[in-house]
Amino acid sequence: MTKKSGSNSSRLYVPEPPFRPGDTPDYSYISVPAAHSPSRPDPLCDADETRAHATSLIRVLRFNGETQGDWVPDISAEVLRGALRDIALTRAMDERMFTMQRQGKMSFYMKSTGEEAVSIGHALALNDTDMIFPTYRQQGILINRGASMKEMMCQCLSNSGDPLDGKSIPVLYSFKKHGFFSISGNLGTQLIQGVGWAMASAYKNSDEIASVFTGEGATAEGDFHYALNFASTYRAPCIINVVNNQWAISSFQGIAAGEGETFAARGTGYGLATLRVDGNDVLAVYAATKWAAERARRGGGATLIEHFTYRKSGHSTSDDPTKYRPESEPEVWPFGDPLERLKNHLILIGEWDETRHAALLEACKSEVRDAYKAAEAMGNLSGETKVNDYTMFEQVYERPLPHLDEQKRMFAKERE
Amino acid sequence: MTKKSGSNSSRLYVPEPPFRPGDTPDYSYISVPAAHSPSRPDPLCDADETRAHATSLIRVLRFNGETQGDWVPDISAEVLRGALRDIALTRAMDERMFTMQRQGKMSFYMKSTGEEAVSIGHALALNDTDMIFPTYRQQGILINRGASMKEMMCQCLSNSGDPLDGKSIPVLYSFKKHGFFSISGNLGTQLIQGVGWAMASAYKNSDEIASVFTGEGATAEGDFHYALNFASTYRAPCIINVVNNQWAISSFQGIAAGEGETFAARGTGYGLATLRVDGNDVLAVYAATKWAAERARRGGGATLIEHFTYRKSGHSTSDDPTKYRPESEPEVWPFGDPLERLKNHLILIGEWDETRHAALLEACKSEVRDAYKAAEAMGNLSGETKVNDYTMFEQVYERPLPHLDEQKRMFAKERE
Amino acid sequence: MPQMNMIEAIRDALDVKMSQDSDVLVFGEDVGYFGGVFRATAGLQDTHGLHRCFDTPISEGGIVGIAIGMAANGLRPVAEIQFADYIYPAYDQIASEAARLRYRSNGDFTAPITIRTPVGGGIYGGTTHSQSPEALFTHIAGLKTVIPSNPYDAKGMLISAIEDNDPILFLEPKRLYNGPFYGDPHAPAKTWRGHELGEVPSGHYTVPIGEARKISDGADVTILAYGTMVWVAQKVAEDMGVEADILDLRSLLPLDIAAIEASVNKTGRCVILHEATRTSGFGAELAAQVQERCFYALEAPIQRVTGWDTPYPHAQEWAYFPGPKRVGNALRDVMEA
Amino acid sequence: MPQMNMIEAIRDALDVKMSQDSDVLVFGEDVGYFGGVFRATAGLQDTHGLHRCFDTPISEGGIVGIAIGMAANGLRPVAEIQFADYIYPAYDQIASEAARLRYRSNGDFTAPITIRTPVGGGIYGGTTHSQSPEALFTHIAGLKTVIPSNPYDAKGMLISAIEDNDPILFLEPKRLYNGPFYGDPHAPAKTWRGHELGEVPSGHYTVPIGEARKISDGADVTILAYGTMVWVAQKVAEDMGVEADILDLRSLLPLDIAAIEASVNKTGRCVILHEATRTSGFGAELAAQVQERCFYALEAPIQRVTGWDTPYPHAQEWAYFPGPKRVGNALRDVMEA
Ligand SMILES: Cc1ncc(C[n+]2csc(CCOP(=O)(O)OP(=O)(O)O)c2C)c(N)n1
Ligand SMILES: Cc1ncc(C[n+]2csc(CCOP(=O)(O)OP(=O)(O)O)c2C)c(N)n1
Ligand SMILES: [Mg+2]
Ligand SMILES: [Mg+2]
């Protein structure tokens, strides 16, 4: 077949990404703001005062490790080392699970490589009782909140240690005890639910806020609009996060974004506060989240935050990104790597060094290895999952219903 | 029951309209921009240049009848008298049909009183082959495009002259021959369909554009978001109209609008051009539409226009607006009446007088009376509708299907 | 005993629960100050406060979406969808989310929400104010779907629904709001006043979800009906002098299959009525189950009497509605088979 | 004759129609450059141009919405919904709009659109990549719903669908994309290579919508199946040595009731198979119609073999799937009754 794209003379405009496989990606046209970052208004300011923030980019960490600008947060080196560890641990877990999926141990896996700072920076800035309505790429929040990695792995392995009894596909975690809402396989749906959760919190005069997540691709669903609209009307105490990692499976962000606007800008028309932040800069994510959380908690309503980052790996284990983007694109993406950037900063301020870093990576690896071993002992999909098949009839309703009991009996007959 | 609203100490914010029945409405806080109207940029300008237009108000006609500002259109007195007649005729028809519904001649009716200038000004600025995707309050467009009033009335009477064979409730017209898409009873759905229609037009290299309508209330549906998003991504040649008539049945516009933003502003975050126009000013509506149509036709993509107006009557014949808003509100609404304002202008420029006006109103009345008589001769709902009941089995599919034929036979047995 | 029509009974149920439990919130399009286009929530904002009964944007998906989130945060929201015909924008939130949240999280999170919505024709509402979409919901595991046919049940079942820990779709046959309807639009309208099922106790009581109600006892034929069709069934059977066992199913899922089985095993004949479109309507499920369970007792094919497989037309409303004539024909066929 | 698997056959149908008719556009999530997550549109953008095969935002409602508008403007759009589990945000546009546009406008406007979407389990997709929602669409008047079970039918029916002037939901059993599947996940995978239904003519041909296909002839029992279950039925009947009349329904609405009736009247026994949740599944409609029409010929209750009334679980996938054991049990019950 000969390539005919572009030869079509129709007036219908269809956006295309700048680079495809075979092209040499050149992102020099994206100017990474170096010295300047927008100012930090009062968290209870008029939404209008954040209009410029929707199109600029909040950055704290320069590539050389220095911090700069209005948004530099007050955060201890101790905490930052914790963040470094969380990022490294998330990455190590993703790495291991990906490999194990390739070996058939589980049906599926999704990495968050390259965008871990979004989860970690965000979680650091919230209270553990604030409820997260995540997508499938915020595993870093669970890591930060101290969820059991073994339990997470058991969920992915769908084994007898899986708190979900094998009902859900890998990575669709649910951890109420860690303020982490059950992940839906249906994109977008949790956004408006999180707003409802926040409305309930306000109704109960509770201080807890909700933080809801979507990828940039899924902002095209109606639920995103519902979330912005209801959050605006009822001034719901929540944060609406768009993780713009440039790709939605094979579609570049321009398919969802349309006429050159940022995703943060979507919020301005609803009267919401809007921030756009360098998502590979854990300090910037932390600072922006702190601001939005304060605004929400003090009655200022919702903030839409766009986290500008990059999905370094494939969409999932079912995906091969070299089919639709240049293989080298992740390397040349101009915003660097969140782990490296935080590491450089800590080294610069004398709170870290290469030796400790190597040790950290080693420790993460072995923590992951141990957790995985313990998890796999409880079963996996290539061998015995050890999940009791009868659990599939449970939790459909609160209490058993006659027709399901009957089907359970039919199933028992089938198993005779 | 004692009134407890407001006594609720919950932190949940629920917006309320400024006035309720019993209050004396005072709209002096709404400043009607007199001398100033935003400038008129080039129709192919960057969407960004229309950002201010989303929050200001394009006005041409002052209350004294003078025209003013950048948007004064080049339009002949002849055409304006036509517009005056269209507004008057639409109003007369609405009046008559409302009364007839009260007499049981039809099941339902919806007036557009007070907001006729939106339809008429808009239709005047388009080509008759541009496709309208209307809601149920754009009957003025049909009047302007010369649809048969008798046929419209037959639709409302669901009689043997009804082009829809009684299938749809009153006012859900479909007039392909007048570029008027079939109205859905489901709010919002036609918005994204219109964008698709426009994409097809671009694909075919046709010059026809689509113009889609929604009330301000229905902007909360997902379809509104889809429409803005797809229109932006594919630069669809269309106009997206929000008729903000302040009310959605009993809900004031603040329920849909949220945190103080205009409906036009919704478009800015999608990178669309945005205009906000005095919807009671037929010249302003005309001018804004002309601008948007030119932009769309010349490849500049979609424009979101908010038409700021007021729903003077009840939502429909099923509604009693004094239940939820002060009875005098329509009178004190500060933007005047579209018919009066156009009349004043024509008189001021010496192209109209009270005598001719009285004659026009009389002529409209009698045209409506005659049309109604002719229509009712073909049946009505309080007597014989004269619709053949068997038509209900037609147009479900293109061709008859066996199961429907069988049901038709069952029905025949029932009628024996 | 207080006399109530069905709207009053529904309003009273909401009032009772809102008074008892501050976790109960009521919202939807026009339900706040105005009290709903059918007046089901009239006065509730006044009594219980702006924050407990309020208007929402016109966004059915958003309405159900916030309900789920509120429920996950411990509240018991009751959402109104103005007409069942407008529930489809919320279909994803209902079917993918509310119904499956408990399952996919293995009980970690739940969505005890009640969604009220008017169904059925009879008010010249045409294609978009007349639908009966129950079968689109009975197919969804994790959801319960109920439909009362009278004021007494409406109040008792709505209270049960609000107290239930599963998501429930509560369908209200709008033609019955003001009185029983026996299928003849030309007959003088009846009100609930004087009807025994219009006697509605004040205060708290429940009607259990999952139990059918026997409307009349008979040995000749079983009629399975719900909503408006219950009254049409009763009238036709009376007029024809047929000894019919009429069951008002009330709850479609869970279904009181034991009552159905007992009846059909007794009568050997079965007619199923519903207003919805025939193909893949809930009558199909009923017919399938009845023949599965009562095959050897059946003396005639089970008949379904339904709306036609067309949208609900406006002018031809009464030609579409499965009225006395259509019901009578089927009853006769079954009796004579 | 070219050999194709089902994905290739579908792609070929699209290619044939796009080559013949410039009004045919193909779009959906990831369908453009990448060619779809199941590769059904691979190469079409290259061949036919960026404007005829392109990516859309992740917005199923928007996808169907633009398809309707394009169709009203004279095009013949073919929209892909990535998984049927994600079709619900488009439910309103399908049920309220595409299906009813012709009716409500009395033929003034029409929506000749084709919506393709993969259905069914068998790939460890869990609750959100395994659903079979056909019954939610067969209830909608104005819509046609079809589901091929092999490459030959897939190509011919897809061409028919694109040429049809009514909106059509085209369901693709994803477990069959690469080969027939007989119900045992542990058996070596079969491909379509060598299978007679994997021989797919090049160029244009059609398989009519509304006709069932007889898979095997037998006098003992009728098996009604579609999609993946067709192959399970065949295998079980063979293994059990049952002489079964197996009908691959292919088209659910319109339904080939004449073929069904003829078969059941001959065999007197009927088993219905589908993967979807049991209650209010399409099997209910089939059972209802069969007993209505073949009552006196029936020698045993009609049995439905289906997925359970739970979401489709992940680890328990094969416990949920109505596999050979469940089908065999039902077949035995019906034969012995
Ligand atoms: C309603 C719905 N439609 C489609 C899908 C299939 N799908 C899963 S992930 C995905 C891409 C999402 O992209 P984005 O929102 O950018 O998130 P990311 O994967 O980049 O984190 C798609 C289309 C789905 N899960 N749900
Ligand atoms: C999907 C849907 N939800 C609800 C309704 C019921 N309904 C009909 S008109 C209306 C209010 C619409 O208000 P608005 O959009 O402002 O238009 P207006 O009537 O003011 O012209 C409502 C809620 C509907 N028709 N469709
Ligand atoms: Mg993404
Ligand atoms: Mg309005």
Side-chain angles (χ1 to χ4, degrees):
Chain A
M1 291 190 272
T2 46
K3 189 165 166 97
K4 291 203 198 136
S5 331
S7 71
N8 192 313
S9 65
S10 149
R11 278 197 222 155
L12 178 63
Y13 176 79
V14 179
E16 283 190 289
F19 310 109
R20 286 295 194 189
D23 297 335
T24 304
D26 174 2
Y27 283 101
S28 53
Y29 71 91
I30 297 186
S31 68
V32 179
H36 183 73
S37 183
S39 65
R40 183 179 188 279
D42 186 90
L44 286 182
C45 70
D46 253 29
D48 228 41
E49 287 181 47
T50 62
R51 191 178 277 270
H53 296 74
T55 45
S56 46
L57 200 67
I58 296 170
R59 299 185 79 225
V60 168
L61 279 178
R62 303 188 59 171
F63 292 133
N64 65 9
E66 284 170 12
T67 60
Q68 60 170 14
D70 262 23
W71 291 82
V72 176
D74 181 20
I75 191 168
S76 73
E78 184 62 34
V79 171
L80 284 182
R81 277 189 300 264
L84 193 70
R85 174 255 180 203
D86 289 344
I87 295 177
L89 192 56
T90 304
R91 188 167 292 188
M93 174 177 169
D94 279 353
E95 206 48 52
R96 175 88 188 191
M97 296 304 273
F98 189 91
T99 311
M100 291 301 105
Q101 193 280 341
R102 283 285 180 265
Q103 294 180 18
K105 304 294 192 179
M106 66 200 92
S107 59
F108 180 78
Y109 192 75
M110 300 181 95
K111 296 165 82 174
S112 60
T113 309
E115 49 191 278
E116 298 95 339
V118 174
S119 294
I120 306 300
H122 195 73
L124 267 181
L126 295 180
N127 300 335
D128 280 3
T129 48
D130 293 330
M131 183 64 82
I132 307 291
F133 288 75
T135 78
Y136 42 74
R137 264 190 245 284
Q138 279 81 52
Q139 49 264 58
I141 294 178
L142 283 172
I143 297 289
N144 172 272
R145 288 190 172 177
S148 147
M149 189 181 285
K150 179 186 157 197
E151 236 178 312
M152 292 171 71
M153 288 171 161
C154 285
Q155 194 283 325
C156 294
L157 292 163
S158 288
N159 63 19
S160 61
D162 174 6
L164 309 186
D165 281 337
K167 289 186 167 100
S168 285
I169 57 171
V171 315
L172 297 193
Y173 307 113
S174 177
F175 281 101
K176 192 174 191 177
K177 62 185 168 194
H178 298 299
F180 195 89
F181 192 70
S182 158
I183 303 173
S184 176
N186 301 65
L187 292 172
T189 49
Q190 80 287 355
L191 295 167
I192 179 66
Q193 295 165 12
V195 172
W197 194 97
M199 289 172 68
S201 187
Y203 173 76
K204 299 193 285 185
N205 296 323
S206 154
D207 271 330
E208 292 167 0
I209 66 172
S211 184
V212 307
F213 280 82
T214 177
E216 90 293 342
T219 60
E221 293 288 0
D223 302 285
F224 179 68
H225 174 56
Y226 308 153
L228 269 54
N229 197 6
F230 280 70
S232 171
T233 294
Y234 302 108
R235 299 184 190 168
C238 63
I239 307 174
I240 301 173
N241 301 280
V242 176
V243 182
N244 177 2
N245 63 5
Q246 312 303 322
W247 292 94
I249 310 185
S250 73
S251 295
F252 86 117
Q253 56 82 31
I255 292 290
E259 290 277 8
E261 266 307 341
T262 67
F263 290 94
R266 290 280 199 272
T268 58
Y270 298 82
L272 299 179
T274 50
L275 303 177
R276 188 158 177 270
V277 59
D278 179 348
N280 291 8
D281 173 347
V282 72
L283 288 175
V285 172
Y286 172 86
T289 305
K290 265 275 182 230
W291 187 94
E294 182 179 342
R295 182 176 178 85
R297 237 181 282 280
R298 291 175 57 196
T303 301
L304 176 65
I305 306 181
E306 173 181 350
H307 303 266
F308 192 77
T309 180
Y310 188 87
R311 194 198 77 205
K312 280 191 160 183
S313 300
H315 171 70
S316 72
T317 46
S318 315
D319 183 41
D320 173 6
T322 65
K323 284 252 164 60
Y324 50 80
R325 70 182 191 193
E327 194 165 350
S328 64
E329 199 182 86
E331 299 324 311
V332 304
W333 184 248
F335 289 85
D337 180 88
L339 183 67
E340 290 307 307
R341 285 175 64 187
L342 180 55
K343 171 189 157 198
N344 290 346
H345 170 64
L346 280 166
I347 291 176
L348 186 86
I349 63 173
E351 293 284 351
W352 199 243
D353 58 44
E354 292 290 354
T355 324
R356 289 170 79 181
H357 196 70
L360 170 69
L361 297 187
E362 206 36 67
C364 288
K365 240 191 188 155
S366 78
E367 182 172 347
V368 167
R369 194 187 314 116
D370 293 349
Y372 186 78
K373 252 196 203 143
E376 220 205 294
M378 307 189 78
N380 73 59
L381 213 65
S382 70
E384 257 301 324
T385 71
K386 299 184 184 150
V387 167
N388 175 351
D389 279 338
Y390 287 88
T391 54
M392 78 178 153
F393 292 107
E394 283 160 23
Q395 299 291 355
V396 183
Y397 297 93
E398 185 189 30
R399 276 184 270 272
L401 289 180
H403 70 291
L404 277 170
D405 285 344
E406 188 175 333
Q407 292 178 19
K408 211 192 259 187
R409 286 192 296 274
M410 285 173 70
F411 178 61
K413 213 177 124 195
E414 193 174 318
R415 279 293 159 94
E416 268 163 19
Chain B
M1 290 191 271
T2 44
K3 191 166 165 97
K4 292 201 197 139
S5 330
S7 72
N8 193 312
S9 64
S10 148
R11 278 197 221 157
L12 178 63
Y13 176 79
V14 179
E16 281 191 290
F19 311 110
R20 285 294 194 190
D23 297 335
T24 305
D26 174 2
Y27 282 102
S28 54
Y29 70 92
I30 296 187
S31 68
V32 178
H36 182 73
S37 183
S39 65
R40 184 179 188 280
D42 185 273
L44 287 182
C45 71
D46 253 30
D48 227 40
E49 286 181 46
T50 63
R51 191 177 277 269
H53 296 73
T55 45
S56 45
L57 199 68
I58 297 171
R59 299 186 78 225
V60 167
L61 280 178
R62 302 189 58 171
F63 291 132
N64 65 7
E66 285 170 9
T67 60
Q68 61 168 15
D70 261 23
W71 291 82
V72 176
D74 181 19
I75 191 167
S76 74
E78 183 62 33
V79 171
L80 284 183
R81 278 190 298 266
L84 192 71
R85 174 254 181 204
D86 289 346
I87 294 177
L89 192 57
T90 304
R91 189 168 292 188
M93 174 176 170
D94 278 354
E95 206 48 49
R96 174 90 189 186
M97 297 303 274
F98 189 91
T99 311
M100 293 300 104
Q101 194 280 340
R102 282 286 179 262
Q103 293 181 21
K105 303 294 192 180
M106 66 200 90
S107 59
F108 179 78
Y109 192 76
M110 301 181 95
K111 297 164 81 175
S112 60
T113 310
E115 50 191 277
E116 298 95 338
V118 175
S119 294
I120 306 299
H122 195 74
L124 268 180
L126 295 181
N127 300 335
D128 280 2
T129 47
D130 292 330
M131 183 64 82
I132 307 291
F133 287 76
T135 79
Y136 42 75
R137 263 189 245 285
Q138 279 80 50
Q139 49 263 60
I141 294 178
L142 283 173
I143 297 288
N144 172 272
R145 288 189 172 178
S148 149
M149 190 182 286
K150 180 186 156 195
E151 236 178 312
M152 291 170 72
M153 288 171 161
C154 285
Q155 195 282 325
C156 293
L157 290 163
S158 288
N159 63 18
S160 61
D162 174 6
L164 308 185
D165 282 336
K167 289 185 167 102
S168 283
I169 58 170
V171 316
L172 296 194
Y173 308 114
S174 177
F175 281 101
K176 192 174 189 174
K177 60 186 171 194
H178 298 298
F180 194 89
F181 192 71
S182 159
I183 303 174
S184 177
N186 300 66
L187 292 172
T189 48
Q190 80 287 354
L191 295 167
I192 178 67
Q193 294 166 13
V195 172
W197 195 97
M199 288 172 69
S201 188
Y203 173 74
K204 299 194 286 185
N205 296 322
S206 154
D207 271 330
E208 294 167 359
I209 66 170
S211 183
V212 308
F213 280 83
T214 176
E216 90 292 345
T219 59
E221 293 289 0
D223 302 285
F224 179 69
H225 174 57
Y226 307 154
L228 269 54
N229 197 6
F230 280 71
S232 171
T233 295
Y234 303 107
R235 299 185 190 167
C238 63
I239 307 175
I240 300 173
N241 300 279
V242 176
V243 182
N244 178 1
N245 62 5
Q246 312 305 320
W247 292 94
I249 310 185
S250 73
S251 294
F252 86 118
Q253 55 83 32
I255 292 290
E259 291 277 8
E261 265 307 339
T262 67
F263 291 94
R266 290 279 199 272
T268 56
Y270 297 82
L272 299 180
T274 50
L275 303 177
R276 188 158 175 270
V277 60
D278 179 348
N280 291 9
D281 174 347
V282 72
L283 288 176
V285 171
Y286 173 86
T289 306
K290 265 277 183 230
W291 187 94
E294 182 180 342
R295 183 177 177 85
R297 237 181 283 279
R298 291 175 58 196
T303 301
L304 176 65
I305 306 182
E306 173 180 349
H307 302 266
F308 192 75
T309 181
Y310 187 86
R311 194 198 76 207
K312 279 193 161 184
S313 301
H315 171 71
S316 72
T317 46
S318 317
D319 183 41
D320 173 5
T322 66
K323 284 251 164 62
Y324 50 80
R325 71 183 188 191
E327 196 165 349
S328 64
E329 199 182 86
E331 301 323 312
V332 304
W333 185 248
F335 289 86
D337 180 88
L339 184 67
E340 291 306 308
R341 286 175 65 187
L342 180 55
K343 173 189 156 198
N344 291 346
H345 171 63
L346 280 166
I347 290 177
L348 186 85
I349 63 173
E351 294 282 355
W352 198 242
D353 58 42
E354 291 290 354
T355 323
R356 290 170 80 180
H357 195 71
L360 170 69
L361 297 187
E362 206 35 68
C364 288
K365 236 188 189 159
S366 78
E367 181 172 347
V368 166
R369 195 188 311 117
D370 294 349
Y372 185 78
K373 253 195 202 143
E376 219 205 296
M378 307 190 78
N380 73 60
L381 214 65
S382 70
E384 256 300 322
T385 71
K386 299 184 181 147
V387 166
N388 176 351
D389 278 340
Y390 287 88
T391 55
M392 78 178 154
F393 291 107
E394 283 159 22
Q395 300 291 354
V396 182
Y397 297 92
E398 185 189 30
R399 278 185 268 273
L401 289 180
H403 71 290
L404 277 170
D405 285 343
E406 187 176 333
Q407 292 179 20
K408 212 192 260 187
R409 286 192 295 274
M410 285 173 69
F411 177 59
K413 213 178 123 195
E414 192 173 318
R415 279 292 158 97
E416 270 164 17
Chain C
M1 185 91 70
Q3 292 267 355
M4 297 186 196
N5 67 26
M6 205 154 143
I7 282 288
E8 290 161 342
I10 288 163
R11 192 188 305 144
D12 198 42
L14 295 171
D15 191 46
V16 165
K17 285 311 299 175
M18 290 176 89
S19 303
Q20 279 185 345
D21 182 355
S22 67
D23 288 341
V24 176
L25 298 196
V26 171
F27 48 85
E29 297 159 16
D30 301 294
V31 312
Y33 185 89
F34 182 55
V37 296
F38 288 103
R39 326 295 300 125
T41 57
L44 296 178
Q45 185 177 88
D46 238 17
T47 316
H48 300 285
L50 180 63
H51 304 128
R52 297 195 57 203
C53 177
F54 54 85
D55 285 354
T56 61
I58 302 175
S59 169
E60 293 75 13
I63 292 168
V64 175
I66 60 164
I68 294 170
M70 289 173 168
N73 199 354
L75 303 187
R76 296 208 163 257
V78 184
E80 173 177 307
I81 301 297
Q82 201 162 81
F83 287 86
D85 314 61
Y86 304 138
I87 204 168
Y88 307 120
Y91 197 82
D92 191 43
Q93 283 288 345
I94 298 171
S96 306
E97 296 294 319
R100 299 199 171 112
L101 178 58
R102 177 190 290 280
Y103 194 78
R104 76 166 196 249
S105 73
N106 210 22
D108 200 27
F109 291 92
T110 61
I113 66 174
T114 302
I115 302 171
R116 298 177 36 246
T117 190
V119 295
I123 62 159
Y124 276 113
T127 59
T128 55
H129 303 84
S130 309
Q131 295 169 33
S132 296
E134 63 274 6
L136 303 175
F137 296 96
T138 52
H139 192 44
I140 302 301
L143 191 68
K144 294 177 177 169
T145 298
V146 304
I147 174 168
S149 71
N150 59 73
Y152 180 89
D153 284 351
K155 178 173 171 186
M157 286 167 67
L158 184 50
I159 291 177
S160 288
I162 297 171
E163 293 175 352
D164 201 287
N165 285 329
D166 293 314
I168 299 199
L169 185 67
F170 189 88
L171 305 175
E172 304 172 0
K174 65 177 88 72
R175 180 71 207 209
L176 300 180
Y177 275 151
N178 293 315
F181 174 67
Y182 298 99
D184 179 1
H186 306 297
K190 288 256 179 1
T191 70
W192 286 110
R193 184 156 295 277
H195 195 288
E196 67 171 324
L197 291 168
E199 300 194 354
V200 177
S202 51
H204 183 278
Y205 71 91
T206 59
V207 170
I209 285 168
E211 287 183 19
R213 171 197 276 273
K214 183 69 77 71
I215 290 286
S216 73
D217 251 305
D220 293 352
V221 60
T222 297
I223 306 183
L224 304 179
Y226 50 89
T228 309
M229 296 310 294
V230 167
W231 305 108
V232 179
Q234 198 184 41
K235 182 71 165 51
V236 172
E238 262 175 42
D239 286 355
M240 288 176 62
V242 173
E243 301 281 302
D245 234 34
I246 304 179
L247 284 177
D248 177 357
L249 299 178
R250 302 197 293 197
S251 171
L252 307 187
L253 187 72
L255 182 68
D256 190 351
I257 191 65
I260 295 171
E261 219 176 313
S263 174
V264 178
N265 280 336
K266 175 178 72 172
T267 63
R269 296 172 200 273
C270 181
V271 177
I272 295 164
L273 314 184
H274 61 64
E275 239 185 289
T277 291
R278 184 181 191 83
T279 300
S280 284
F282 191 65
E285 179 61 31
L286 291 172
Q289 287 203 35
V290 168
Q291 71 81 30
E292 278 159 19
R293 288 155 197 277
C294 310
F295 184 81
Y296 298 101
L298 279 174
E299 292 171 45
I302 305 156
Q303 295 274 347
R304 290 182 286 168
V305 185
T306 68
W308 309 121
D309 279 327
T310 75
Y312 213 126
H314 173 250
Q316 305 90 331
E317 163 146 280
W318 297 111
Y320 180 93
F321 184 83
K325 199 74 200 291
R326 199 174 314 156
V327 174
N329 283 353
L331 212 50
R332 205 166 295 114
D333 281 358
V334 166
M335 299 300 297
E336 288 168 4
Chain D
M1 185 91 71
Q3 292 268 353
M4 296 188 197
N5 67 26
M6 206 154 142
I7 281 289
E8 290 161 342
I10 287 162
R11 192 188 304 145
D12 198 42
L14 294 171
D15 190 47
V16 165
K17 286 310 300 173
M18 291 177 89
S19 302
Q20 279 186 344
D21 182 353
S22 68
D23 289 341
V24 177
L25 297 196
V26 172
F27 48 85
E29 297 158 17
D30 301 294
V31 313
Y33 185 90
F34 182 56
V37 296
F38 288 104
R39 325 297 299 126
T41 56
L44 296 177
Q45 183 178 89
D46 238 16
T47 315
H48 300 283
L50 179 64
H51 304 127
R52 297 196 57 203
C53 177
F54 54 84
D55 284 356
T56 61
I58 301 174
S59 169
E60 293 75 13
I63 292 168
V64 175
I66 59 163
I68 294 170
M70 288 175 169
N73 199 355
L75 303 187
R76 298 208 161 259
V78 184
E80 173 176 308
I81 301 296
Q82 201 162 82
F83 286 87
D85 315 60
Y86 305 138
I87 204 167
Y88 306 120
Y91 197 83
D92 191 43
Q93 284 287 346
I94 298 171
S96 306
E97 297 294 319
R100 299 197 170 113
L101 178 58
R102 176 190 290 279
Y103 194 77
R104 76 166 196 248
S105 74
N106 210 23
D108 200 28
F109 291 93
T110 61
I113 66 174
T114 302
I115 303 171
R116 297 178 37 246
T117 190
V119 296
I123 63 159
Y124 277 113
T127 61
T128 55
H129 304 83
S130 310
Q131 296 169 33
S132 297
E134 61 274 8
L136 303 174
F137 296 95
T138 52
H139 192 43
I140 303 301
L143 190 69
K144 294 176 177 170
T145 298
V146 305
I147 174 169
S149 72
N150 60 72
Y152 180 89
D153 284 350
K155 179 173 171 186
M157 288 168 66
L158 184 50
I159 291 177
S160 289
I162 296 171
E163 293 175 352
D164 200 288
N165 286 329
D166 294 312
I168 299 198
L169 185 68
F170 189 88
L171 304 174
E172 304 172 0
K174 65 177 88 71
R175 180 70 207 210
L176 300 180
Y177 276 151
N178 294 315
F181 174 67
Y182 299 99
D184 178 1
H186 305 297
K190 287 259 179 356
T191 71
W192 286 110
R193 184 158 294 279
H195 196 288
E196 65 171 325
L197 291 168
E199 300 195 355
V200 177
S202 50
H204 183 278
Y205 70 92
T206 60
V207 169
I209 285 169
E211 288 182 21
R213 170 198 279 272
K214 185 67 78 67
I215 290 286
S216 72
D217 252 304
D220 293 352
V221 59
T222 298
I223 305 182
L224 305 180
Y226 51 89
T228 309
M229 296 310 294
V230 167
W231 305 109
V232 180
Q234 199 185 40
K235 182 70 165 50
V236 173
E238 264 175 40
D239 286 355
M240 287 175 62
V242 174
E243 303 279 304
D245 235 32
I246 304 180
L247 283 177
D248 176 357
L249 299 179
R250 300 198 294 197
S251 172
L252 306 187
L253 186 72
L255 183 67
D256 190 351
I257 190 65
I260 296 172
E261 219 176 313
S263 174
V264 178
N265 280 336
K266 175 179 72 175
T267 62
R269 297 171 199 273
C270 180
V271 176
I272 295 163
L273 314 184
H274 63 62
E275 239 185 291
T277 290
R278 183 180 191 84
T279 300
S280 283
F282 191 66
E285 179 61 31
L286 291 171
Q289 288 202 35
V290 167
Q291 70 79 31
E292 278 159 20
R293 289 158 196 274
C294 310
F295 184 79
Y296 299 101
L298 280 173
E299 293 172 47
I302 305 155
Q303 295 274 345
R304 290 182 286 168
V305 184
T306 69
W308 309 120
D309 279 329
T310 74
Y312 213 126
H314 173 249
Q316 304 91 332
E317 164 147 280
W318 296 110
Y320 181 92
F321 183 84
K325 198 74 199 289
R326 200 172 314 155
V327 174
N329 284 353
L331 212 50
R332 206 166 295 115
D333 282 355
V334 166
M335 299 301 296
E336 289 169 4

